[in-house]
Amino acid sequence: MNPYAIFVDHVRGAVAALVRDGELARMPDLSRIAVEPPREASHGDLATNAALVLAKETGIKPRVLAEKIAAKLARVAHVTKTEVAGPGFINIAVEPAFWREVLEAALAEGEDFGRTDLGKGEKVNVEYVSTNPTGPLHVGHGRGAVFGDALANLLVHAGYAVTREYYVNDAGAQVDALARSVFLRYCEALGERVGAIPEGLYPGDYLVPVGKELTDRHGRALVDKPEAEWLPIVRAAAIDAMMAAIRADLAALAIRHEVFFSERSLSAGPADQVAATIEVLRKAGHVYEGRLPPPKGQVPEDWEDREQTLFRSTAFGDDVDRPLKKSDGSYTYFAADIAYHRSKIERGFRNMIDVWGADHGGYIKRVQAAVAALSGGKASLDVKIIQLVRLFRGGEPVKMSKRAGEFVTLREVVDEVGPDPVRFMMLFRKNDAVLDFDLAKVIEQSRENPVFYVQYAHARGCSVFRNAAEAFPGRALDAKALDAARLDRLSDHGEIALMKQIGVWPRLVEGAALTHEPHRVAFYLHELAGEFHSQWNRGKDMPHLRFIIGDDPEITLARLALVRGVVGVLASGLKILGVRAVEEMR
RNA sequence: GACCCCGUAGCUCAGCGGAUAGAGCAGCAGCCUUCUAAGCUGUUGGUCGGAGGUUCGAUUCCUCCCGGGGUCGCCA
């Protein structure tokens, strides 16, 4: 049950009634009508912009139209008052019974409360992490990983059929460099003198065991072979080892992908899908041989003007056409990426979401152009850019030296503070804003730490149930008992406010899913937790507002129902974020 | 030079084209010093970077400018 959606229907019904009455000449477009919680509580319980968005089409002044709609709405069940305000808003007041029905629905629906059929079972592909398998994930990758995972959860909750996918960048120069780095470690493990790892290779210690493992499997067999022979062998082993490590890092955050798609597989084997894709585009007239002007400003030193194979991305909104082949004849990363997205389209995905790091922002238009070209405009690609994470400890920046391959890995952070603070904090900021992550603050048990604050609200709710069981030994406090609770005993304004906040949840899920913004869930939970703590605290000054009233089992049961509603939504939201809903904080 | 992101209270940040722009922290003023577990309540504070434009209405959309960050064929 979504109370706001119900009222959108009521408003539409009111407009339809005006058409029947002859007050409106014909049915206007109702799609822009919204019902939302008003900014100020004094404005009532719900507000609609209907008269404002319909004024133009109907040719009736907003306030006049608002009066007409308001008059119809006044007759809707539970509505106690309607009033026209400001430029033409209609404020609607409902009796508390309406919010009690919302709470009842929330309890009855349980885990399904807040689910919507927005997605109508449509397939969505969410691609995230997708790093080169050349080393452990660092904290920035972690943010993208958590974001993608939470977004996928959110879309599932909103009724989409979601596939979580990782594009393994196992082709190209970087994995060759990885292979050479591992080869040195292999030689080292055999007692050869290796010296310092050369510039351009990966010096990190994490490759030492990979080299050693190769000696177990191949002995000295690879040492004297030419590079062309050992490289594929070492590379495959190295990639396997790195992917295993990356999966383990992700598993520590409870992140699992359904599909790992290998970039190398696109051009390996008998059918070169990259070539095939270029041919498809060429036949459609989107690929040509031509020249590009050098980039203005910073011209690369080795720039040479040459004729090359170009994708006409400018025809689809990009700034310049993009090369598909490097000077050595091999495909660009972009060419492979086009083939990859073609694969997604051919696998039936009309909706694609890619989660990329901030440094890939300039790449968005060309891939969207490719998707438009490949699908004839029928498939859509949304790219979410994940900004940097800055690490702090007690307000002081954590120094990271990139030289010597030393950086703070995701695993180090997860091991230090635990997965929950990492996941929650990564989502407690818009994806396109830089995030400050303080290793000390996120494990503080205080109000200032949002992770604790929200988890604590859940734990506190559970604690109320434990205390109630003690206060009323032998009395049933289960779902069935709560179902029979006299919710009409809930009349305190703080209680009503909590019920309203619970009622916002389904609407919030929809909004967050539509905009691909899981951070909204985190902020909402923080707010809900705040209101719950606040009501809890009011019981300090006003004992009659406590959840457990020793000599009044009836009101206690009603309040327990409310607490159950809050706990349920908190649990549901935390599940989307991938944060554990703990039952106690010890 | 071009493109993308960001610019909102002292600080950190929310804010689907709508009403008098919000929250937390800090500040200020009280309360509590015990209970239902890690305090509570109230409050000060803003020309939403600047200038135009579209609109009945702009923090939100468009253009230009300023400031910060990112990117700009043969890295992925």
Side-chain angles (χ1 to χ4, degrees):
Chain A
M1 173 188 185
N2 179 346
Y4 297 91
I6 288 173
F7 263 86
V8 168
D9 286 345
H10 287 325
V11 174
R12 288 177 175 165
V15 175
L18 291 176
V19 175
R20 277 198 305 278
D21 294 354
E23 298 257 16
L24 295 178
R26 62 171 177 281
M27 191 66 127
D29 173 21
L30 304 177
S31 63
R32 288 177 60 214
I33 292 176
V35 174
E36 55 193 16
R39 196 186 290 281
E40 274 188 55
S42 63
H43 289 151
D45 297 301
L46 308 129
T48 179
N49 63 354
L52 292 161
V53 298
L54 298 179
K56 189 169 235 173
E57 189 178 341
T58 58
I60 303 175
K61 285 198 163 76
R63 287 197 62 109
V64 175
L65 182 56
E67 291 293 351
K68 294 178 192 291
I69 298 172
K72 295 287 184 193
L73 284 175
R75 286 185 229 140
V76 167
H78 291 314
V79 171
T80 54
K81 190 176 136 194
T82 59
E83 122 190 286
V84 177
F89 282 98
I90 302 166
N91 291 324
I92 304 162
V94 296
E95 50 191 6
F98 179 70
W99 300 113
R100 294 189 195 113
E101 282 183 15
V102 172
L103 174 58
E104 253 171 60
L107 293 174
E109 292 172 31
E111 286 190 359
D112 290 334
F113 180 65
R115 284 188 193 277
T116 79
D117 64 344
L118 188 71
K120 299 185 178 66
E122 249 180 83
K123 290 175 71 170
V124 185
N125 184 291
V126 184
E127 180 212 321
Y128 55 107
V129 190
S130 299
T131 56
N132 315 322
T134 54
L137 298 177
H138 62 246
V139 179
H141 296 135
R143 186 176 180 192
V146 169
F147 176 89
D149 193 58
L151 175 58
N153 292 343
L154 175 63
L155 292 173
V156 168
H157 212 71
Y160 290 91
V162 178
T163 298
R164 300 144 194 268
E165 191 152 323
Y166 185 127
Y167 183 45
V168 184
N169 298 150
D170 54 1
Q174 301 207 6
V175 285
D176 288 349
L178 173 77
R180 293 188 188 102
S181 312
V182 169
F183 186 74
L184 289 177
R185 295 303 190 183
Y186 161 74
C187 295
E188 196 175 57
L190 291 171
E192 306 276 324
R193 275 232 173 124
V194 173
I197 304 292
E199 192 76 12
L201 296 190
Y202 297 92
D205 288 343
Y206 59 88
L207 294 180
V208 173
V210 185
K212 187 148 196 328
E213 220 170 275
L214 279 172
T215 66
D216 297 340
R217 210 180 323 162
H218 297 279
R220 300 191 65 88
L222 303 177
V223 177
D224 298 318
K225 288 202 158 105
E227 180 179 294
E229 279 183 44
W230 59 252
L231 190 96
I233 298 168
V234 175
R235 187 175 56 203
I239 290 170
D240 281 353
M242 291 303 105
M243 283 310 296
I246 287 169
R247 284 181 205 232
D249 287 352
L250 292 173
L253 282 170
I255 294 168
R256 277 178 197 81
H257 293 80
E258 278 110 39
V259 176
F260 285 83
F261 194 103
S262 157
E263 178 186 355
R264 183 166 294 277
S265 74
L266 286 167
S267 45
D272 184 335
Q273 294 177 59
V274 182
T277 301
I278 291 175
E279 273 324 295
V280 165
L281 289 173
R282 194 188 294 276
K283 279 188 184 131
H286 303 316
V287 170
Y288 66 102
E289 304 299 317
R291 292 171 187 278
L292 278 183
K296 302 258 166 125
Q298 217 175 357
V299 180
E301 285 173 22
D302 55 349
W303 173 268
E304 54 163 324
D305 186 26
R306 67 179 173 91
E307 182 150 291
Q308 52 187 341
T309 307
L310 297 167
F311 168 56
R312 203 183 302 280
S313 52
T314 48
F316 302 92
D318 199 2
D319 309 305
V320 287
D321 292 338
R322 305 292 177 175
L324 299 173
K325 284 186 179 176
K326 301 177 192 173
S327 52
D328 66 358
S330 65
Y331 299 119
T332 56
Y333 180 80
F334 177 50
D337 214 4
I338 298 176
Y340 173 47
H341 283 85
R342 177 163 169 253
S343 153
K344 290 186 191 176
I345 294 168
E346 289 187 342
R347 283 182 280 145
F349 294 106
R350 290 268 174 107
N351 307 299
M352 292 170 264
I353 303 172
D354 288 2
V355 179
W356 297 346
D359 53 340
H360 290 59
Y363 196 74
I364 298 175
K365 284 186 188 175
R366 75 190 71 170
V367 180
Q368 284 177 331
V371 167
L374 288 167
S375 70
K378 290 196 180 103
S380 76
L381 168 67
D382 186 19
V383 179
K384 305 300 281 187
I385 288 299
I386 306 299
Q387 263 297 351
L388 301 177
V389 178
R390 295 189 299 197
L391 272 187
F392 294 82
R393 189 188 303 277
E396 292 298 310
V398 174
K399 293 269 192 290
M400 287 188 252
S401 79
K402 275 198 175 164
R403 71 183 162 73
E406 283 177 28
F407 41 81
V408 177
T409 64
L410 176 60
R411 194 51 176 273
E412 286 173 294
V413 172
V414 174
D415 286 348
E416 179 173 335
V417 304
D420 290 336
V422 171
R423 290 200 57 128
F424 193 92
M425 290 312 295
M426 294 293 189
L427 295 165
F428 201 57
R429 185 66 77 239
K430 275 184 300 194
N431 58 285
D432 49 14
V434 175
L435 168 69
D436 290 346
F437 187 97
D438 194 307
L439 291 160
K441 281 189 183 159
V442 300
I443 52 173
E444 246 171 47
Q445 299 208 335
S446 76
R447 186 190 163 85
E448 284 85 75
N449 175 10
V451 190
F452 171 76
Y453 194 64
V454 173
Q455 279 193 317
Y456 179 39
H458 184 271
R460 183 174 255 178
C462 294
S463 144
V464 170
F465 271 84
R466 289 192 294 271
N467 290 332
E470 276 185 37
F472 298 97
R475 197 179 177 95
L477 303 173
D478 57 3
K480 200 176 160 197
L482 296 180
D483 202 40
R486 292 280 309 274
L487 297 185
D488 57 337
R489 294 287 306 273
L490 300 175
S491 57
D492 175 69
H493 70 82
E495 293 166 348
I496 306 283
L498 273 173
M499 289 189 273
K500 285 188 192 178
Q501 189 68 10
I502 289 170
V504 168
W505 174 235
R507 183 172 182 275
L508 188 113
V509 170
E510 274 196 17
L514 274 173
T515 52
H516 304 161
E517 292 183 343
H519 77 271
R520 293 191 192 197
V521 173
F523 280 99
Y524 167 81
L525 293 181
H526 193 244
E527 212 174 302
L528 176 62
E531 288 197 33
F532 179 63
H533 287 309
S534 165
Q535 185 65 9
W536 193 93
N537 285 322
R538 291 179 71 216
K540 279 188 169 178
D541 289 340
M542 293 170 277
H544 66 283
L545 288 181
R546 295 180 178 191
F547 296 124
I548 299 167
I549 304 294
D551 56 3
D552 191 343
E554 191 181 80
I555 197 158
T556 300
L557 202 61
R559 286 177 179 164
L560 287 178
L562 176 61
V563 173
R564 174 58 68 210
V566 171
V567 166
V569 172
L570 286 172
S572 188
L574 286 170
K575 194 171 175 190
I576 288 172
L577 302 184
V579 175
R580 276 172 299 197
V582 292
E583 299 197 356
E584 37 186 345
M585 295 302 292
R586 295 184 195 289

